[in-house]
Amino acid sequence: MTEAASSDVSRPPPIRRIARRQGLLLSRRASRWRHVTGLCGHGILLLITSSSALAVLFIFFFIAKDALPFFITREAGLLERLREFFTTSAWYPSSVAPSFGALAIFVGSGLVTLGAALVAVPLGVMAAVCLSDVLPFGARQLVKPVIEILAAIPSVAYGFFALVVFAPLLQSRGGLVLSVGWWCLAGPVAALLVFVLSDIATSRLTRQRGSRWIRPAAAAVLGGSALAVLMYVGGRLAGIEVGSGTNALNVSIILGIMALPTVTSVSEDALQAVGRELREGAYALGATRSEVLLRVVIPAAASGICAAIILGLMRAVGETMVVWMASGNAAQIPSPWYNLLQPVRTLTATIAGDMGEADHVTGSARYHVLFAMALALLSISFICNLISERVISRATLKLR
Amino acid sequence: MEYRRHRMRVSLAGAVLLTCLAAASAQESRIVVDGSTTVGPIAKAFAEHYMADHRDVRITVSESGSGNGAKSLINKTCDVASMSRFMKDGEFKAAVDAGSFPVAHIVALDGIAVIVHPSNPVRNLTVEQVRDIYLGRIVNWKEIGGPDRPIVIISRDTNSGTYESFEELVMHKQKMAKEVEYVGSNGAVRQRVQSTPTAIGYVGLGFSDRTVKALSINGVQPSRATVAAGAYPVARPLYFFTNGYPQLGSPLHAFVTLHLTPKGEEIVQSIGFIPVTMYSADSDQSDD
């Protein structure tokens, strides 16, 4: 003991060596090797992760690279081109004296998206509420996959349906289709509105005088007037004759159906994320199921539902095949602008449809203008994506 | 297991070597076709058919427009210029100055049928009336003897050769109205017209069948006979131009005379053009 102590005075303590010998510590070489391989692993993982981000950057870069020559040319100044592109609506890219006014095409994209929103938002949100809070668990497990199947149908199949089945139907029985659609969409919304309004009205009124006739009376008055409005508009719609079945309405409805699974599924997740505590608390305070839904659960999940709507609409903005087949592709601004019964042309359909010819004359304005459109489209969906990210993160913060 | 893998590797290497050798040794002849988007589909279909039978010939077809096709032929960067019009004087002169003599081969006749729904009472229009419809000056069928309903105007997309022909022969390069709907194929135009009672559209003559009604133009019913006789106004011949007449028996000669064979005729018809040969006697446009 004393011998060992005296001999070890000059040397470093042998604990490391003993540990290494017993396999508790790696040899210096092995530990260095392990360090290096660890670094490599990190590097590779970083590369893989960043490659998708890099891909987005590259796509942005190359599209911008091919878009810029459209705006910066020898024939026309930058401002002139910008003004032509964004504020005029004469789209004749292949003509002898070409003009590249894309305003009508932007309006077409916007209009179709708006129409899709009118279809997908009420239906999707209501379906989500129904799935998360109304249906029993077993039914929900059955219904949700069926709704999600809608997302699995290829878009060309939707397009074929829109062109071959839906367009002729709109032409021959346009009024009927319109009024049935009106009842399907506006009926439930009106019922909901009547319910909520009569609820609010009675709660205001009964605070002053406690009569039990007020509630049914208010419901009857509101319901009657809502029914009258529904029937009036439905009757007017039934009288409409649709000239061309390939129009903004046709595409809006199909795009709405395509966006439906996204809206439903994401907003259902948001509704589920509202915890049991809130619901049970509300029930414990004596709220009815509809009050819990309308005043507690939906407001709490509002930002998640917003994000769902944005995601669903981005699906509609970016969809190409259906609009190319069934929107009519007429580069016009409908008159009046909200007239969904006229054919329109969208950004995606223009890019897809005109690229075939344009790439034979690579370098021409006709080629570059399509990239300018792609850049605009990419920017729009990029901004939408950022907004929805922001909204979702705000939602999760709030719920914590 | 090990043995099999080894053998596979050897055979793979052998295959690679063989293809390299084949590529290097075989005298591969290339034919470059450039020109009109109207004639392009014919050239592409011919190339596909010819290359399937002759593995040693490579044919590339690009569509940059008739004018560019002529330019390429003069510059000798292509072997065949596919053109939807005859060469202009200036192009011919430039070619002769460059030491070549362009020879025209008429591969097909391009007739465009203006079609409406079978229930439409309108039977005949003039070229001017068709143009006015597509310019948006005539907007209702009652203006030209039909029912009091707005006209749904359907056009091929601006990429297509059919559009190019129509723009040339009917529109005289004037811009179509904004309300015109664009559709991606001849079949889709026909589909839209047969399902829309108030529609008017145009298709390559080969695509007009009994489900739609082809209008007479200037009083002439479109058919193979009237197009070939030059009586139907919305029609024109389509050309292949070569530098001199190709050497007999060469792949180039076979390619530019393919339209004279029964198979070539079938191909021309299947793309919607009118063949210059008459092998199938009863293949007039109404029989589809």
Side-chain angles (χ1 to χ4, degrees):
Chain A
M1 178 81 193
T2 48
E3 268 179 28
S6 64
S7 67
D8 275 351
V9 168
S10 55
R11 280 196 244 160
I15 300 166
R16 265 173 188 277
R17 219 183 310 152
I18 294 165
R20 266 184 202 136
R21 211 169 291 151
Q22 291 185 345
L24 293 174
L25 203 66
L26 290 170
S27 74
R28 196 163 294 155
R29 222 174 78 198
S31 98
R32 199 171 293 155
W33 176 242
R34 191 166 274 201
H35 184 65
V36 170
T37 48
L39 268 185
C40 283
H42 273 271
I44 290 170
L45 284 179
L46 184 72
L47 208 69
I48 291 170
T49 318
S50 56
S51 69
S52 54
L54 274 179
V56 173
L57 280 183
F58 271 121
I59 290 172
F60 242 116
F61 172 73
F62 281 107
I63 287 182
K65 201 186 82 171
D66 265 327
L68 280 181
F70 171 72
F71 294 110
I72 302 163
T73 49
R74 258 169 279 160
E75 304 111 57
L78 173 67
L79 273 177
E80 215 174 299
R81 268 289 162 88
L82 277 173
R83 196 177 324 126
E84 182 189 4
F85 188 66
F86 286 110
T87 64
T88 66
S89 61
W91 178 252
Y92 294 105
S94 67
S95 165
V96 185
S99 53
F100 301 100
L103 180 65
I105 300 174
F106 280 103
V107 170
S109 265
L111 197 63
V112 161
T113 311
L114 190 74
L118 286 182
V119 175
V121 171
L123 284 180
V125 173
M126 279 193 269
V129 170
C130 184
L131 280 176
S132 84
D133 280 78
V134 180
L135 285 183
F137 185 74
R140 179 180 155 240
Q141 294 303 85
L142 210 71
V143 171
K144 203 176 177 190
V146 173
I147 290 180
E148 277 164 1
I149 278 180
L150 282 178
I153 299 174
S155 57
V156 69
Y158 279 109
F160 185 77
F161 175 80
L163 179 64
V164 176
V165 180
F166 199 47
L169 185 72
L170 270 180
Q171 276 158 194
S172 57
R173 295 206 185 357
L176 187 71
V177 172
L178 281 177
S179 58
V180 167
W182 167 252
W183 279 101
C184 284
L185 273 181
V189 172
L192 217 63
L193 268 181
V194 165
F195 178 83
V196 174
L197 283 178
S198 67
D199 209 32
I200 291 170
T202 42
S203 69
R204 285 268 164 78
L205 289 175
T206 44
R207 219 168 279 157
Q208 290 155 10
R209 317 173 252 153
S211 166
R212 55 196 165 122
W213 295 109
I214 285 178
R215 194 186 168 98
V221 169
L222 281 168
S225 50
L227 198 68
V229 170
L230 280 178
M231 282 177 70
Y232 175 72
V233 177
R236 287 292 295 273
L237 285 175
I240 287 178
E241 247 181 51
V242 181
S244 169
T246 53
N247 52 30
L249 180 75
N250 183 339
V251 176
S252 294
I253 291 173
I254 303 290
L255 287 182
I257 293 171
M258 291 175 80
L260 202 55
T262 316
V263 176
T264 307
S265 164
V266 179
S267 27
E268 205 250 330
D269 289 344
L271 290 168
Q272 288 285 313
V274 177
R276 274 184 90 84
E277 302 86 358
L278 272 181
R279 291 189 172 91
E280 281 168 358
Y283 281 125
L285 288 173
T288 61
R289 179 191 262 177
S290 54
E291 279 167 341
V292 172
L293 278 180
L294 293 172
R295 304 237 176 114
V296 178
V297 178
I298 292 180
S303 37
I305 293 174
C306 271
I309 291 170
I310 292 173
L311 282 179
L313 291 189
M314 271 165 54
R315 172 106 165 86
V317 172
E319 177 50 46
T320 307
M321 204 59 216
V322 169
V323 284
W324 171 238
M325 287 170 86
S327 71
N329 298 311
Q332 58 169 348
I333 298 174
S335 60
W337 66 269
Y338 52 81
N339 187 352
L340 286 174
L341 293 174
Q342 287 186 359
V344 293
R345 193 182 182 96
T346 67
L347 288 169
T348 48
T350 306
I351 295 169
D354 284 5
M355 192 50 92
E357 161 84 347
D359 69 353
H360 296 301
V361 271
T362 309
S364 63
R366 191 177 167 195
Y367 174 77
H368 291 303
V369 71
L370 298 181
F371 281 90
M373 284 182 160
L375 190 64
L377 197 60
L378 198 60
S379 310
I380 290 170
S381 62
F382 192 68
I383 291 167
C384 282
N385 221 338
L386 279 184
I387 292 173
S388 76
E389 283 287 316
R390 186 60 58 85
V391 168
I392 287 177
S393 66
R394 219 183 63 196
T396 46
L397 274 182
K398 205 160 79 182
L399 284 178
R400 265 175 212 154
Chain B
M1 186 67 197
E2 194 58 35
Y3 166 71
R4 195 192 287 168
R5 194 183 291 166
H6 179 69
R7 208 174 65 171
M8 214 165 83
R9 210 174 289 161
V10 167
S11 61
L12 206 80
V16 168
L17 199 73
L18 267 180
T19 43
C20 286
L21 276 177
S25 67
Q27 192 65 41
E28 193 186 65
S29 49
R30 289 175 58 91
I31 300 176
V32 179
V33 186
D34 192 6
S36 155
T37 47
T38 317
V39 198
I42 301 180
K44 275 180 183 159
F46 277 11
E48 212 169 280
H49 172 67
Y50 190 76
M51 283 193 290
D53 290 347
H54 303 81
R55 293 296 165 111
D56 54 334
V57 181
R58 283 193 59 120
I59 306 174
T60 54
V61 180
S62 39
E63 301 170 356
S64 55
S66 294
N68 282 329
K71 226 177 277 170
S72 305
L73 190 75
I74 295 161
N75 297 335
K76 302 202 171 71
T77 51
C78 76
D79 305 298
V80 179
S82 53
M83 297 178 67
S84 57
R85 56 170 174 80
F86 201 77
M87 269 202 175
K88 291 176 183 163
D89 293 356
E91 288 164 347
F92 229 104
K93 193 167 180 304
V96 173
D97 287 347
S100 59
F101 195 84
V103 172
H105 313 260
I106 294 182
V107 284
L109 300 172
D110 178 18
I112 293 179
V114 178
I115 55 173
V116 295
H117 194 265
S119 70
N120 197 321
V122 175
R123 309 182 66 82
N124 178 45
L125 292 175
T126 64
V127 174
E128 288 72 31
Q129 281 172 325
V130 176
R131 189 186 313 138
D132 281 349
I133 290 174
Y134 276 87
L135 287 174
R137 289 183 190 145
I138 297 178
V139 295
N140 196 308
W141 281 110
K142 73 177 177 196
E143 295 172 53
I144 41 177
D148 181 13
R149 304 201 50 187
I151 305 177
V152 175
I153 313 163
I154 297 173
S155 164
R156 281 296 308 280
D157 55 314
T158 51
N159 285 339
S160 62
T162 315
Y163 173 86
E164 196 197 34
S165 301
F166 190 81
E167 195 189 26
E168 180 91 35
L169 295 166
V170 175
M171 303 306 292
H172 298 319
K173 301 262 175 194
Q174 293 183 65
K175 288 172 178 173
M176 287 186 186
K178 284 182 182 175
E179 298 81 46
V180 173
E181 292 184 29
Y182 294 90
V183 169
S185 70
N186 274 312
V189 175
R190 189 175 62 193
Q191 197 279 332
R192 285 283 293 134
V193 171
Q194 76 197 28
S195 65
T196 312
T198 55
I200 187 168
Y202 60 86
V203 291
L205 200 48
F207 285 94
S208 152
D209 62 13
R210 287 208 186 90
T211 61
V212 291
K213 185 164 83 178
L215 296 176
S216 302
I217 302 293
N218 295 352
V220 182
Q221 187 67 28
S223 75
R224 192 162 146 170
T226 53
V227 167
Y232 185 68
V234 196
R236 60 181 178 178
L238 302 175
Y239 307 89
F240 278 169
F241 275 89
T242 51
N243 256 338
Y245 198 78
Q247 194 191 345
L248 295 179
S250 65
L252 185 58
H253 181 257
F255 181 73
V256 297
T257 53
L258 198 57
H259 59 280
L260 300 174
T261 63
K263 182 66 195 170
E265 180 192 62
E266 200 185 310
I267 292 172
V268 166
Q269 238 166 353
S270 72
I271 313 173
F273 295 111
I274 299 152
V276 288
T277 48
M278 293 280 188
Y279 291 110
S280 42
D282 60 344
S283 57
D284 216 331
Q285 54 93 21
S286 55
D287 300 310
D288 199 11

